[in-house]
């Protein structure tokens, strides 16, 4: 069993399914007003190098609901790499708290923290992966379709969200059709790993440049921002590159039965129109809610069964 939750690809499909099942159970319990105190007395350190609404609030309230506590840390408070090294921060935190969630601009930093900490480290988004989002997405998809029958079309930027979605789909047997411009495909090593996982699960993973081809017959149409955190300077160039990749009513006319997904925040009028984001097919708030339940299950997993 891995110590950390850095990539869904580090975990077996069986373990991922168990985490999703527990997330569903925790969700049902919370709806009844029940908050099992499984992490009583445990502390989570949350380190964020980028802004965060969903990840921050869901981890913090998740810890509260499970009977634990969370501490917010940011670069201006602790200065990894300026005030002290990542190794020193990881080793100190390991003496005081039980688990760390880190959102780091560079994926290598979250890997370094995990290597140097003796406690579990959870990836709260990097420039390469967003595994907690992928778990919430699988929970959301699974609420509307058997995973083995789901057909998900991801339209737009093959970045962190698409990368983790491909790994989760590959592992859990979900068909994923990715439509991105040629220069914005997922990172080749991530895609290769997703294909390897798909060979074992029987998932179909395909890539095309054509969004219409990808969405035809899909049950879920998913998109993410065109310029991610840290890519703000490329925003103009990216708006041009992704011009034909907007999720709007015209595209959705080719997928009449599809639910619409977005990890949020959305850049309304860019990758998705407000009409679609706020429309009857949108399940983006279910995805956002499921961050809470999925991450509570991940926290329990790394702390109680690691
Ligand atoms: N791709 C986006 C995801 C935000 C949750 C970003 O990295 O900014």
């Amino acid at each position: 069993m891995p110590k950390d939750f850095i990539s869904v690809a580090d975990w077996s499909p069986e373990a991922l399914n168990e985490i999703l099942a527990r997330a569903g159970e925790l969700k049902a319990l919370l709806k009844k007003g029940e908050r099992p105190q499984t992490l009583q007395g445990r502390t989570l350190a949350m380190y964020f190098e980028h802004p965060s609404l969903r990840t921050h609030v869901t981890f913090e309230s998740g810890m509260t609901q499970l009977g634990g506590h969370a501490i917010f840390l940011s670069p201006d408070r602790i200065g990894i790499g300026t005030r002290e090294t990542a190794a020193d921060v990881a080793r100190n935190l390991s003496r005081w708290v039980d688990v760390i969630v880190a959102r780091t601009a560079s994926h290598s930093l979250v890997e370094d923290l995990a290597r140097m900490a003796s406690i579990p480290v959870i990836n709260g988004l990097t420039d390469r992966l967003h595994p907690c989002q992928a778990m919430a997405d699988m929970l959301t998809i699974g609420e509307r379709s058997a995973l083995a029958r789901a057909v998900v079309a991801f339209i737009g930027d093959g970045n962190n969200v698409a990368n983790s979605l491909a790994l989760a789909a590959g592992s859990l047997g979900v068909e994923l059709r990715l439509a991105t411009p040629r220069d914005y495909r997922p990172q080749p090593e991530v895609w290769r790993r997703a294909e390897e996982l798909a060979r074992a699960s029987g998932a179909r993973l395909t890539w095309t440049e054509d969004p219409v081809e990808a969405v035809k017959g899909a049950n879920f149409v998913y998109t993410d921002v065109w310029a991610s955190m840290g890519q703000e300077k490329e925003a103009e160039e990216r708006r041009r590159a992704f011009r034909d990749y907007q999720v709007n009513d015209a595209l959705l006319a080719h997928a009449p039965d599809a639910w619409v997904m977005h990890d949020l925040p959305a850049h309304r009028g860019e990758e998705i129109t407000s009409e679609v984001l706020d429309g009857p097919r949108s399940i983006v708030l279910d995805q956002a809610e499921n961050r809470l339940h999925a991450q509570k299950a991940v926290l329990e997993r790394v702390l109680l069964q690691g």
Side-chain angles (χ1 to χ4, degrees):
M1 191 81 69
K3 169 176 81 73
D4 307 294
F5 199 79
I6 302 297
S7 169
V8 292
D10 300 337
W11 289 72
S12 68
E14 294 72 31
L16 296 178
N17 277 318
E18 283 166 18
I19 294 170
L20 290 174
R22 177 62 178 160
E25 203 171 276
L26 287 167
K27 181 172 184 173
L29 288 172
L30 190 64
K31 302 282 174 203
K32 291 195 283 183
E34 288 176 36
R35 295 170 174 78
Q37 302 292 287
T38 51
L39 299 187
Q40 205 164 23
R42 310 288 182 116
T43 304
L44 166 71
M46 305 182 294
Y47 175 68
F48 285 91
E49 290 187 345
H50 282 309
S52 172
L53 173 68
R54 277 151 292 276
T55 306
H56 179 176
V57 175
T58 51
F59 267 109
E60 186 157 343
S61 59
M63 281 305 282
T64 304
Q65 290 171 8
L66 294 169
H69 178 69
I71 302 173
F72 179 79
L73 302 169
S74 56
D76 56 313
R77 293 184 190 201
I78 64 168
I80 294 183
T82 51
R83 189 164 177 269
E84 57 190 316
T85 63
D88 286 344
V89 170
R91 289 184 200 130
N92 276 265
L93 287 174
S94 300
R95 298 288 178 115
W96 306 318
V97 305
D98 301 280
V99 52
I100 299 169
V101 58
R103 168 168 292 188
T104 58
S106 145
H107 188 72
S108 60
L109 178 55
V110 87
E111 288 181 330
D112 288 349
L113 290 170
R115 204 174 43 252
M116 293 175 297
S118 59
I119 56 175
V121 173
I122 298 172
N123 178 356
L125 178 146
T126 66
D127 56 345
R128 180 181 301 187
L129 298 175
H130 197 3
C132 295
Q133 181 67 52
M135 293 304 283
D137 295 341
M138 291 297 140
L139 184 61
T140 310
I141 291 168
E143 288 171 342
R144 286 173 177 75
S145 161
L147 290 183
R149 279 200 307 275
V151 179
V152 182
F154 182 96
I155 312 299
D157 190 14
N159 191 29
N160 44 14
V161 168
N163 282 340
S164 283
L165 189 69
L167 293 169
S171 178
L172 297 175
V174 174
E175 175 168 352
L176 177 68
R177 301 153 174 198
L178 209 74
T180 74
R182 191 164 285 276
D183 293 341
Y184 295 92
R185 280 177 285 185
Q187 289 172 350
E189 63 277 20
V190 174
W191 190 250
R192 268 197 299 276
R193 179 80 178 112
E195 285 182 325
E196 199 176 285
L197 293 165
R199 274 194 291 279
S201 73
R204 259 172 68 90
L205 303 182
T206 53
W207 173 82
T208 170
E209 263 182 303
D210 179 3
V212 173
E213 182 190 324
V215 304
K216 276 189 182 153
N219 326 109
F220 299 89
V221 174
Y222 195 148
T223 189
D224 181 22
V225 290
W226 293 340
S228 285
M229 293 180 280
Q231 298 175 334
E232 291 79 6
K233 285 204 194 82
E234 299 169 30
E236 199 41 58
E237 177 190 334
R238 286 171 165 270
R239 265 194 285 277
R240 277 194 301 277
F242 289 101
R243 206 175 34 216
D244 299 329
Y245 290 81
Q246 187 184 65
V247 173
N248 53 29
D249 284 332
L251 182 65
L252 289 176
H254 299 281
D257 301 321
W259 297 105
V260 173
M261 301 178 70
H262 193 305
D263 48 285
L264 304 177
H267 294 164
R268 290 166 180 264
E270 291 192 12
E271 76 278 1
I272 191 164
T273 59
S274 279
E275 271 169 309
V276 168
L277 190 70
D278 302 327
R281 302 216 227 160
S282 171
I283 53 171
V284 302
L285 290 175
D286 290 341
Q287 281 177 273
E289 179 188 331
N290 284 340
R291 296 289 306 277
L292 173 69
H293 312 301
Q295 288 159 202
K296 283 167 73 178
V298 169
L299 283 164
E300 280 192 349
R301 185 78 187 198
V302 297
L303 282 170
L304 305 178
Q305 292 174 52

